[in-house]
Amino acid sequence: MDPVSSLLNGIRAEGSAVSHAVLKAPWTIRFADRAPLTMVTVLHGGGVLVLADGTRRPVEPGDTAIVRGPEPFHLADHPDSLNRPHIEYEIACFTADPECVTEELSGIHWGTNSAEATALIVGAYRTSGRRPDRLLRALPPVLVIREDVDTCDWLEKAAVDSATNAAGSQALMDRLLDWALVCTLRTWFAHAGSAAPTWYRGMADPVVAPALEAIHGTPSRSWTVASLAAQAGVSRALFAKRFAELMGRPPLSYLTEYRMDEAEDLLTASDLTVAQVAKAVGYADSFGFSAAFKRYRGMSPSAFRAAA
């Protein structure tokens, strides 16, 4: 398993909203879920995203924005609309009904050709366990990716189809949004250059990538620098040097950090005993694991579980 797949494994869409609405300026839409991640794809219309800290990012047709939570944010026809009388709408996905609700968003209709229509696909994402925290820390507060026209047309048609077929429509849209999140993040990582996290850049390196796949695929194995170098088919010295240069730390330090991240997830999201968690992340006994965990996290596994 590669690092991106591993980290995305704990993030899932929870409800989605697809709407065409004719909105009379000035207007704002408030996204109220406090979700870890919210994705907004603009099919028609557009506006300006305004984050809680005042950051502004314009979005146009074909743009997909991913906003890192948990603070609420707005989409407005103009940033000044927030400071003057305007009509405010609200979209909330984390409701009792597992479907996004558009509060007071009047005039919703399908297939509009109005030049004034604002058409959005909105998905809010929950996280399970602590594994996705590394991904969230690597993302900026907001990122915007331009999708091609064919992709947006396909998304819109799929959304309309799911809305007109009640059986399984919400599950279909949620899985569609899971797919869209992966594609959008991959595009952003690919163009982020040095801003991309090291665990992503490492996957493009022929020496480091096999070792990362091995570590993330089977962290419980008794990996050594020599056995990881063998995965890459290079000498131990070359592997150790290349890994440290690209990843910013030695291979076994990265391995230990990843094991601690996995242990955190297992301690908070499972009923495994400390001894079982130790074995799952590559430690022969709970004593060695507890000592390593306390060294890296400042508390014992049991104390960490109780605090979480």
Side-chain angles (χ1 to χ4, degrees):
M1 181 180 292
D2 64 90
V4 178
S5 296
S6 175
L7 297 177
L8 282 169
N9 195 41
I11 300 178
R12 288 289 181 271
E14 182 85 10
S16 56
V18 187
S19 63
H20 293 230
V22 179
L23 306 178
K24 185 177 180 180
W27 56 264
T28 67
I29 301 174
R30 183 174 185 266
F31 296 83
D33 286 307
R34 294 185 174 272
L37 285 178
T38 302
M39 187 169 67
V40 181
T41 297
V42 181
L43 301 174
H44 304 290
V48 179
L49 285 170
V50 183
L51 305 192
D53 64 0
T55 298
R56 300 176 179 183
R57 288 294 299 272
V59 286
E60 302 174 351
D63 286 348
T64 292
I66 295 178
V67 181
R68 192 186 68 204
E71 294 301 321
F73 62 97
H74 289 81
L75 174 66
D77 68 302
H78 189 279
D80 291 341
S81 294
L82 288 167
N83 301 315
R84 62 187 182 188
H86 64 276
I87 300 174
E88 181 174 280
Y89 308 100
E90 184 170 291
I91 292 180
C93 298
F94 295 170
T95 60
D97 183 349
E99 180 175 348
C100 291
V101 176
T102 51
E103 299 288 349
E104 301 297 331
L105 194 55
S106 59
I108 297 175
H109 53 285
W110 294 105
T112 180
N113 293 316
S114 171
E116 300 177 2
T118 294
L120 306 173
I121 295 180
V122 177
Y125 296 82
R126 291 190 190 274
T127 59
S128 60
R130 300 178 67 91
R131 183 183 293 124
D133 288 351
R134 293 181 68 201
L135 174 63
L136 298 177
R137 290 195 299 267
L139 298 179
V142 58
L143 62 91
V144 179
I145 296 295
R146 172 59 55 87
E147 304 287 358
D148 58 53
V149 175
D150 290 341
T151 299
C152 287
D153 288 345
W154 182 84
L155 279 172
E156 186 171 10
K157 290 175 182 176
V160 172
D161 180 69
S162 71
T164 56
N165 293 279
S169 60
Q170 191 61 51
L172 174 62
M173 276 304 302
D174 288 348
R175 299 295 75 76
L176 176 65
L177 288 169
D178 288 340
W179 170 84
L181 176 66
V182 173
C183 292
T184 301
L185 288 177
R186 285 177 58 180
T187 300
W188 183 78
F189 284 140
H191 293 87
S194 60
T198 55
W199 42 259
Y200 179 83
R201 301 202 305 271
M203 290 305 300
D205 186 86
V207 172
V208 174
L212 289 178
E213 290 182 356
I215 290 171
H216 285 256
T218 52
S220 60
R221 184 170 169 180
S222 299
W223 293 111
T224 63
V225 174
S227 62
L228 290 170
Q231 294 291 314
V234 298
S235 70
R236 183 181 182 277
L238 174 60
F239 168 73
K241 179 181 179 181
R242 181 61 182 165
F243 193 100
E245 288 176 346
L246 189 60
M247 303 298 292
R249 50 205 178 281
L252 296 188
S253 293
Y254 180 89
L255 171 63
T256 301
E257 289 176 13
Y258 180 68
R259 284 173 168 172
M260 295 301 103
D261 287 338
E262 288 293 287
E264 283 189 353
D265 191 63
L266 292 173
L267 287 168
T268 56
S270 77
D271 294 326
L272 296 177
T273 65
V274 171
Q276 289 171 325
V277 171
K279 185 176 181 180
V281 297
Y283 286 83
D285 57 69
S286 59
F287 300 104
F289 165 67
S290 295
F293 191 92
K294 187 172 184 178
R295 185 165 58 251
Y296 273 82
R297 297 296 184 255
M299 63 179 72
S300 68
S302 298
F304 177 85
R305 170 174 271 172

